[in-house]
Amino acid sequence: YRTALTKSLPYNPLRQHDVESPLLAPETQEDDSTAPKGLQKNNPSFHLLVPATETNPNLCKTIHSSFVLAYPPPTLVNYGKKFDDDTWDKGTHAGKIRGVYNYLSDMDKVKDDDMVLIVDGYDVWFQLPPAIMIKRYQRLINEANDRLRRRYGTELKPAEDGENASEMGPKYTQTVIFGADKLCWPNGAADPACAAIPYSTLPKDIYGSLTDSSPDGFHNRPRYLNSGTVMGPVKDVRAIYELAAKKVEEDNRGVLGDQFVFAEIFGEQEYQRETLRQSTQGTGGKWFEWLSSALGGEDSPLSANTTINNMTAIAGHRYEFGIGLDYESKMFQTMTHSANDVEFVAHNDTSRTRQLINDKHPDLNVDLTLPFDLQLAHGPLWYSSPGNHSLDAVDRILLPHSDYLDDLPEHLSWDEIPLASNLFAKTVPALLHINGDKSLLTDWWSSMWFHPYSRAILRRFIRSTQTRKAAQAAAAGGQTWWDMRGGRGGVWTDTGLWVSWHDVCKGTEEEVFADGKEVWGKEEGSRKVVNYFRTVIVADEED
């Protein structure tokens, strides 16, 4: 949905102490039985893009977890597209970059100040609602910009209105957040992508004496860009993807995949920042930085005793993209070399949690508490149907209530359900990126808090408002309708096609639900169901 955002140079979300995010505050519109013609939305939308060329159970797990928490209807990028280039990946990584860039360049679909979240299609699970994701993004951005101001200072910038005199502003700002990995790959160890990037914000002794010195990476603090999750304003994310597409298509930098390209862009940004900062330092500042590095302090990676491949700046070339990472896994928990950091714990069962931590990490002294933003949030089941049940006859027929299929707890709170928690960072991430050990895609799925109720929650989600009243709510802005297209219980493709859950995920019930209740929509007999988009969402194969 669209709501007003506070603008600055180039983007300034609300400060942490603000209770309500402007992206989350609904607007009001006088009710009407039909969506008014020409109704426009003039405030930012939130988009969820999922690059995926074909369906499989893992894609359906990603989609299902987004439904459970009422994220925007996912848009599948490159869905149904075939790649057959003469490369190791048949061109899928280059196509992924180009597909996302093309979508973000279509002003009929997105606006510059919209927010976009892009996640890998086959190994990402959402754990917390979008309201939490957005607020954490805003807090991380503000914290990062405070650090950038302290480190790099301010400079004269043109006034926003273009008329008044220049004013002082931060030299650099962050607007885009990627996930963070413990190892740098596939870039070379001496490349700026690996050697010139900032140190983690986590404590320097978080893993004890082995912190950042573990050859296998398990005790490294996450500080390397992972391209599988990224969030930011459309304008800024599009600029990154534009350069990535150029690197792949014109400079042949994509032979090792999109991960290599985005990490290289981040490394070049950080190398230029630090090179310019050091070139303007006085003698005292340079001496202090050298001393700090010699004594084991952390300041500039360019001053550390490591080999870095120098890069030559090209005149007129843009290196600044406002990229930063989620070092503490508050938004994105990547799993490469990090799975041992994560446990599924119920935060109200303190004795069991302490025992679990003591058994696996006897030297770890941590007392996990439920994050404050979750203490203030609606209950976990609220998001799948937040009190907007339709009274329209069409919707009352759609997936009618079934005692066999729709049994859900009357009350469920965040502190009593198992939440994947990073024991070392002491965070509960908004999503899990199951990269690395792919066996976790099977082994951990049943541990997700919503898994025991997966089918019932999905049915409840689809029964929420489906009619023109929903379209009107989408245009006016509201708590559950995120963009003009609307739609629940399905996905959009980047070509504008609406595809129902049944059509995308039929045949994956055993992997997704694992409840023994057979094929979606036919648990209690065979019948045809058509949604408001005139799309069949349940039907026999011959239909």
Side-chain angles (χ1 to χ4, degrees), residues 48-51 62 93 96 117-126 177-181 185 224-231 241 258-260 262-263 325 332-334 431-435 438:
L48 173 59
L49 302 189
V50 183
T62 297
H93 285 84
K96 174 182 175 181
L117 170 62
I118 307 168
V119 303
D120 281 353
Y122 302 108
D123 57 5
V124 168
W125 304 338
F126 293 93
I177 298 178
F178 280 85
D181 253 333
W185 62 275
Y224 305 103
L225 182 145
N226 182 280
S227 64
T229 51
V230 56
M231 182 171 171
Y241 272 80
D258 60 310
Q259 169 69 31
F260 176 92
F262 288 109
L325 308 186
F332 312 135
Q333 173 66 65
T334 60
L431 65 77
L432 309 182
H433 182 196
I434 315 295
N435 58 342
K438 293 303 182 182

Side-chain angles (χ1 to χ4, degrees), residues 198-275:
Y199 295 106
S200 172
T201 58
L202 288 169
K204 291 184 288 185
D205 60 350
I206 191 169
Y207 297 107
S209 60
L210 293 177
T211 303
D212 293 346
S213 60
S214 174
D216 56 14
F218 287 98
H219 295 98
N220 292 346
R221 292 177 296 168
R223 61 181 284 236
Y224 305 103
L225 182 145
N226 182 280
S227 64
T229 51
V230 56
M231 182 171 171
V234 164
K235 180 181 179 181
D236 299 331
V237 176
R238 182 176 63 240
I240 298 169
Y241 272 80
E242 181 179 18
L243 178 57
K246 178 182 182 298
K247 282 178 172 287
V248 169
E249 297 169 358
E250 299 179 19
D251 304 334
N252 197 32
R253 301 295 289 169
V255 293
L256 296 179
D258 60 310
Q259 169 69 31
F260 176 92
V261 174
F262 288 109
E264 184 172 79
I265 294 172
F266 180 48
E268 291 173 347
Q269 168 189 282
E270 296 304 315
Y271 187 93
Q272 291 300 309
R273 283 181 177 180
E274 282 300 293
T275 299

Side-chain angles (χ1 to χ4, degrees), residues 39-86:
L39 183 60
Q40 299 293 320
K41 294 174 72 175
N42 300 314
N43 39 17
S45 287
F46 182 35
H47 304 268
L48 173 59
L49 302 189
V50 183
T53 57
E54 59 186 10
T55 187
N56 65 27
N58 287 327
L59 174 64
C60 292
K61 290 177 181 179
T62 297
I63 293 171
H64 180 274
S65 67
S66 75
F67 290 169
V68 165
L69 294 155
Y71 275 79
T75 296
L76 302 187
V77 177
N78 291 336
Y79 190 66
K81 188 172 183 179
K82 303 295 182 183
F83 293 92
D84 55 4
D85 291 0
D86 187 22

Side-chain angles (χ1 to χ4, degrees), residues 423-471:
L423 303 182
F424 290 86
K426 302 179 184 179
T427 55
V428 179
L431 65 77
L432 309 182
H433 182 196
I434 315 295
N435 58 342
D437 183 0
K438 293 303 182 182
S439 68
L440 299 179
L441 289 169
T442 300
D443 296 344
W444 278 16
W445 178 243
S446 60
S447 298
M448 295 298 288
W449 70 263
F450 49 76
H451 186 263
Y453 327 107
S454 291
R455 191 183 300 256
I457 295 177
L458 179 56
R459 288 171 55 84
R460 181 179 180 180
F461 177 70
I462 291 177
R463 276 200 304 271
S464 297
T465 302
Q466 300 281 316
T467 64
R468 288 191 177 116
K469 293 181 180 179

Side-chain angles (χ1 to χ4, degrees), residues 9 38 56 83 100 120 149 168 183 242 256 311 326 368 385 393 405 411 439 476 504-505 516 542:
L9 289 172
N56 65 27
F83 293 92
V100 171
D120 281 353
R149 182 186 290 270
M168 294 301 294
L183 288 178
E242 181 179 18
L256 296 179
M311 57 173 287
D326 178 14
L368 285 178
S385 186
L405 301 173
H411 175 75
S439 68
V504 177
C505 295
E542 58 267 24

